[in-house]
Amino acid sequence: MSRNALKIVTIGGGSSYTPELIEGYIKRKDELPIKEIWLVDIEAGKEKLEIVGEMAKRMVKAAGLDWTVHLTLDRREALKDADYVSTQFRVGLLDARIKDERIPLSHGVLGQETNGAGGMFKAFRTIPVILDIINDMKELCPNAWLVNFTNPAGMVTEAAIKHGGWKKTAGLCNVPIGHRKQAAEKLGLPEEDLFFKFAGINHFHWHRVWDKEGNERTAELIDLIYGPESESESHLKNIHDVPFPYEQIKDLGLLPCGYHRYYYIEDEMLAHSVQEFKEGKTRAQVVKATEARLFELYKDPKLDYKPKELEQRGGTHYSDAACELIASIQNDKRTDMVVSTENNGTITDLPYDCIVEVSGPVTGHGPEPYNWGTFPPAARGIIQVMKGMEETVIRAAIDGDYGAALHAFTINPLVPGGTMAKTLLDELLIAHQEHLPQFADKIKEIEATQPETVAYVTELMKSN
């Protein structure tokens, strides 16, 4: 790894998040001796890459920096001799997310980007691509760090480390950042005066909080955030703000992740999502409209800074966290962060070699998680089910194994078992067949024997 002239590559460089990424690098210009930034995308994303790439160049120029920003559709050209590679791509673009949400919701089943049937299909599409990227990295930049915030981040990171063999991988999520800021605000203390321990898996973690005098403040925060007198508690733009059951959170004694709403308050969250579907306003459709407005802003030749409107996109802080992680590795800063990394006994309830989302310092050799130990039974039971589901999804994604995919659907708490699980699986395979070559034989079989399935998906997508 170069220490004096860094080459940083972003795959999915045409993302609407890229301005935040560039802003993060600029903020750390004294820590990161960047020479080149390469933004990579695919042909379908070429127009967005050109728009956001030109904006990135304006931002660098406005900061008075001599960094070179390259735009390319040639991933291998970009990866050669890279020091850091970040991934923020979406296979099938937002139209694929719309299918992930609308098809399950048409049956009254949750459709969501990283949870339930939609989240599993995003993994099916994404995992083969991350493994292809790693194969290129082994040849072209064997010493680079891979910083992943492509969703579902935990499963993609686990595939990269366990199945791709790329140990120098860390996964990131913006959700813990929001929880940290929320705790500081509720307690009226600077964030740096608090100590946090997060543990779980991506979008399914819990956390505890202490102040600098050594007092645990977790129970107090549960009262402040979820108690009878509390006001709106969610800091996530993309999740409906239904109050958690206070008694349940109090009993567990741990602060939940915002995404736990889909499991703890399933009925209310599902009802809200179904209503959005009926109104033609699923989250993916809203995000697509938001992105269109953002890219119109990005076209402005005078715009050389990250616009405030980007915060409405959801997922804010992802990119800045990626920049801090890179800076922490580069300079052995030991910044305390929440990352998806190898368990190695951190959570004793989960397999030693699996990927978990946990707190710890990020050193020059990568994350070093704080020990968590074991969960109370109420959390232990469901997280073991979720990890088993993740491992099964990854196996299905790599092998194209229909039986494993059906098993994953059956394990997932948000997908009804039996006929409905198979119906959703078959319909989503038809809908996403362009991006699922590993399932090609099964898709041909469905097309030949289930014309009603093909017709249903075709008609539903027409009504989008």
Side-chain angles (χ1 to χ4, degrees):
M1 180 186 296
S2 168
R3 289 290 175 184
N4 299 310
L6 295 180
K7 178 178 181 179
I8 300 179
V9 177
T10 296
I11 297 175
S15 166
S16 59
Y17 291 126
T18 295
E20 183 178 87
L21 195 64
I22 300 300
E23 180 188 66
Y25 291 140
I26 291 171
K27 281 167 54 179
R28 296 166 179 84
K29 63 182 185 295
D30 295 330
E31 300 178 79
L32 295 172
I34 295 172
K35 181 180 179 182
E36 301 172 75
I37 295 174
W38 287 70
L39 303 179
V40 186
D41 222 301
I42 58 173
E43 185 65 40
K46 183 178 179 180
E47 181 181 3
K48 288 184 175 180
L49 176 65
E50 290 174 349
I51 293 169
V52 81
E54 291 305 314
M55 181 179 169
K57 292 177 182 178
R58 294 194 298 271
M59 292 175 71
V60 169
K61 182 178 179 181
L65 299 167
D66 61 357
W67 304 345
T68 303
V69 178
H70 300 271
L71 314 180
T72 184
L73 305 182
D74 187 339
R75 187 174 77 200
R76 288 178 59 83
E77 176 191 21
L79 287 175
K80 185 170 175 55
D81 299 324
D83 297 295
Y84 296 94
V85 178
S86 67
T87 49
Q88 56 179 27
F89 60 91
R90 185 187 297 276
V91 178
L93 308 177
L94 279 169
D95 286 342
R97 179 175 174 179
I98 290 172
K99 295 174 185 177
D100 286 340
E101 293 179 358
R102 285 178 55 80
I103 290 173
L105 285 168
S106 74
H107 294 283
V109 177
L110 183 74
Q112 209 275 333
E113 180 185 23
T114 60
N115 291 264
M120 290 186 283
F121 259 82
K122 194 170 195 303
F124 291 162
R125 298 191 301 273
T126 306
I127 286 170
V129 177
I130 200 73
L131 295 178
D132 281 346
I133 291 168
I134 287 170
N135 285 336
D136 284 347
M137 291 177 67
K138 288 175 180 177
E139 176 188 348
L140 299 167
C141 52
N143 297 313
W145 270 92
L146 176 60
V147 180
N148 175 65
F149 41 110
T150 294
N151 275 322
M155 285 190 269
V156 173
T157 302
E158 181 150 336
I161 293 175
K162 282 183 65 175
H163 299 275
W166 202 264
K167 297 289 188 179
K168 295 173 75 172
T169 301
L172 285 173
C173 180
N174 70 320
V175 175
I177 300 171
H179 283 303
R180 289 174 63 113
K181 293 181 182 301
Q182 180 188 46
E185 178 184 345
K186 291 291 185 182
L187 293 173
L189 294 170
E191 190 178 329
E192 57 269 22
D193 285 355
L194 297 172
F195 178 80
F196 297 83
K197 282 182 78 171
F198 286 78
I201 57 179
N202 179 238
H203 288 181
F204 208 88
H205 55 68
W206 294 267
H207 62 286
R208 299 169 65 187
V209 185
W210 290 261
D211 62 28
K212 64 180 183 179
E213 283 76 36
N215 303 305
E216 182 163 5
R217 308 295 291 272
T218 307
E220 182 181 350
L221 281 165
I222 289 173
D223 289 340
L224 288 170
I225 300 171
Y226 307 111
E229 305 301 319
S230 64
E231 298 178 358
S232 175
E233 64 208 42
S234 180
H235 56 86
L236 297 169
K237 300 284 186 185
N238 58 329
I239 296 181
H240 181 50
D241 188 9
V242 179
F244 277 102
Y246 169 66
E247 296 85 357
Q248 184 178 355
I249 305 304
K250 192 76 171 175
D251 173 71
L252 188 61
L254 301 172
L255 289 154
C257 161
Y259 280 84
H260 278 122
R261 283 183 174 83
Y262 290 112
Y263 303 86
Y264 289 4
I265 329 166
E266 183 178 353
D267 287 354
E268 293 92 330
M269 295 298 288
L270 177 58
H272 181 263
S273 295
V274 169
Q275 185 60 37
E276 287 182 327
F277 164 74
K278 290 177 179 178
E279 295 172 358
K281 298 177 182 178
T282 64
R283 179 62 188 171
Q285 291 167 298
V286 171
V287 166
K288 191 171 182 178
T290 301
E291 276 216 344
R293 292 192 295 271
L294 281 171
F295 276 94
E296 285 303 310
L297 288 175
Y298 294 171
K299 289 177 183 178
D300 182 351
K302 297 179 182 178
L303 186 65
D304 56 10
Y305 57 90
K306 182 189 77 174
K308 188 171 179 59
E309 288 85 348
L310 182 55
E311 295 175 9
Q312 301 304 312
R313 170 66 175 80
T316 186
H317 305 307
Y318 260 118
S319 305
D320 191 63
C323 299
E324 180 57 29
L325 187 142
I326 289 171
S328 195
I329 293 173
Q330 177 72 15
N331 300 290
D332 191 29
K333 288 176 64 176
R334 309 186 186 190
T335 304
D336 191 276
M337 300 187 72
V338 181
V339 296
S340 286
T341 189
E342 292 178 283
N343 185 18
N344 293 341
T346 301
I347 301 174
T348 55
D349 301 316
L350 296 179
Y352 189 87
D353 65 345
C354 77
I355 299 306
V356 292
E357 189 164 279
V358 287
S359 301
V362 177
T363 74
H365 60 271
E368 283 287 353
Y370 302 124
N371 178 264
W372 176 271
T374 189
F375 280 106
R380 183 174 69 237
I382 193 167
I383 198 171
Q384 288 176 339
V385 168
M386 293 296 289
K387 176 48 72 175
M389 179 273 297
E390 285 192 346
E391 292 173 316
T392 308
V393 167
I394 293 167
R395 178 164 62 88
I398 294 171
D399 298 338
D401 188 322
Y402 181 84
L406 185 56
H407 214 144
F409 267 51
T410 305
I411 296 170
N412 194 300
L414 300 180
V415 179
T419 302
M420 181 54 71
K422 191 174 187 306
T423 297
L424 290 176
L425 177 57
D426 291 353
E427 289 177 0
L428 286 162
L429 283 171
I430 292 296
H432 292 296
Q433 59 184 291
E434 178 185 356
H435 304 294
L436 297 171
Q438 71 272 42
F439 290 101
D441 291 344
K442 186 63 183 181
I443 291 169
K444 287 179 183 177
E445 178 188 323
I446 295 169
E447 288 179 320
T449 61
Q450 300 178 41
E452 70 283 0
T453 298
V454 177
Y456 181 83
V457 172
T458 302
E459 190 60 33
L460 184 64
M461 289 304 100
K462 280 182 182 177
S463 68
N464 178 17

